[in-house]
Amino acid sequence: YGGPASFRVRGSRHQVPAFTYNINRTGVFIRTLVPPPRDSELILDFRPPFGEGRVRAYGKVVWRKECSQQGGPVVPAGMGVIYTQTPLADGAALAAGYEALLSAAPGQRATNIDEVARAPEE
């Protein structure tokens, strides 16, 4: 999932344009050329999956990858951010968008193992 985003480090007034690259229930990967240091506390604004507006979430940088960094996860430059706080309505929009994203992504849904066990062998 990708969409326009912006962030700022708490205590700073400098808003940084960015782009979401991946999202899950507990956090988001933000593409940026210069990710802040690990443990930085951020204020994030981005479009939730299937949303037309923007949500705000507060988070903490838990890992980062710089442009020239060798090794580590095979992702573009950016940072993994875990949510530390989401306002009620923003959290509801994130949850609804994430569930819709899972439903729309073929092959990404969990398989019910009981149904697989009963499936014919053809």
Side-chain angles (χ1 to χ4, degrees):
Y1 167 74
S6 62
F7 70 90
R8 67 183 171 92
V9 175
R10 279 190 121 149
S12 168
R13 300 181 86 187
H14 180 68
Q15 194 80 9
V16 180
F19 200 75
T20 60
Y21 183 74
N22 195 358
I23 192 168
N24 63 44
R25 283 185 179 89
T26 61
V28 63
F29 179 80
I30 301 289
R31 290 179 70 169
T32 180
L33 296 176
V34 185
R38 193 165 182 250
D39 295 326
S40 294
E41 293 184 15
L42 306 177
I43 300 170
L44 305 161
D45 293 296
F46 59 96
R47 184 176 51 83
F50 298 97
E52 292 186 17
R54 292 173 71 84
V55 296
R56 171 157 288 181
Y58 299 85
K60 186 178 206 177
V61 177
V62 291
W63 64 272
R64 59 197 298 270
K65 183 169 183 185
E66 295 184 56
C67 287
S68 61
Q69 181 178 335
Q70 298 295 316
V74 182
V75 294
M79 60 190 162
V81 178
I82 189 167
Y83 305 133
T84 56
Q85 179 186 358
T86 53
L88 185 61
D90 298 279
L94 278 172
Y98 183 70
E99 291 304 318
L101 186 65
L102 288 179
S103 296
Q108 298 300 312
R109 287 171 263 164
T111 302
N112 183 337
I113 195 69
D114 294 330
E115 290 178 16
V116 172
R118 289 189 297 242
E121 293 192 24
E122 293 181 22

